[in-house]
Amino acid sequence: AQKITQTQPGMFVQEKEAVTLDCTYDTSDPSYGLFWYKQPSSGEMIFLIYQGSYDQQNATEGRYSLNFQKARKSANLVISASQLGDSAMYFCAMRVSMDTGRRALTFGSGTRLQVQP
Amino acid sequence: DAGITQSPRHKVTETGTPVTLRCHQTENHRYMYWYRQDPGHGLRLIHYSYGVKDTDKGEVSDGYSVSRSKTEDFLLTLESATSSQTSVYFCAITAFAGRNTIYFGEGSWLTVV
């Protein structure tokens, strides 16, 4: 089964501190991609960062980095220097092969992050 | 901005009526997807399309149909809406297979009463 698990329904972090959002995945596909999205209270889905299964280095995008541990099947999102605007729902997703052999995203249930001043 | 527009953005409809949601994109992306979002479930794939008249079912396709007669439009139809289809519906695109970025539309809030 191909599955994404986010075990933290909610997280609190102090402004300017770093925070790690956990994501584990399960797939037998040797080629896959891992994504993180941010969903603020306004509802839109904002792409943050991507990691390919064959990428040798962890992905980084500004204050976002993805801690990719392939053997552990984990793809945790690290947000450095949290800001109040980082308060949102965060989703981990994996691009997987469907029954047809074509690919689509499967999502975790999300983590709600609240940044406190 | 990936040039994705969803319509309507908000709709209230009665049980048993048909409803069509439209996803329009302006950048000639080949791959398009419909997801629904419900509390505690993240986003779940309803249907997806790899091109004109080329569509497949996702994990929660029962009660939904789709059509893609033009590259730019991907329509999601609820043939006979039920209260369990009250949800937020997201359209998504990826430029081509293997591309590392998938973008979402702004969402369509559907309430079935």
Side-chain angles (χ1 to χ4, degrees), chain B residues 33-51:
Chain B
Y33 311 83
W34 277 108
Y35 287 85
R36 60 176 288 174
Q37 183 179 22
D38 305 291
H41 288 281
L43 278 75
R44 293 180 292 175
L45 182 65
I46 306 172
H47 282 278
Y48 56 108
S49 170
Y50 267 35

Side-chain angles (χ1 to χ4, degrees), chain A residues 9 39 89 91 108-112, chain B residues 36-44 83-90 109-110:
Chain A
Q39 187 177 41
M89 195 76 167
F91 290 99
S109 56
T111 296
R112 182 167 299 282
Chain B
R36 60 176 288 174
Q37 183 179 22
D38 305 291
H41 288 281
L43 278 75
R44 293 180 292 175
S83 58
S84 65
Q85 293 176 311
T86 292
S87 188
V88 183
Y89 292 86
F90 284 96
W109 275 253
L110 178 67

Side-chain angles (χ1 to χ4, degrees), chain A residues 63-82:
Chain A
R63 294 186 299 112
Y64 304 108
S65 60
L66 199 153
N67 184 2
F68 181 47
Q69 298 189 43
K70 197 169 183 177
R72 292 187 171 186
K73 293 189 174 181
S74 72
N76 299 338
L77 177 70
V78 180
I79 305 175
S80 63
S82 297

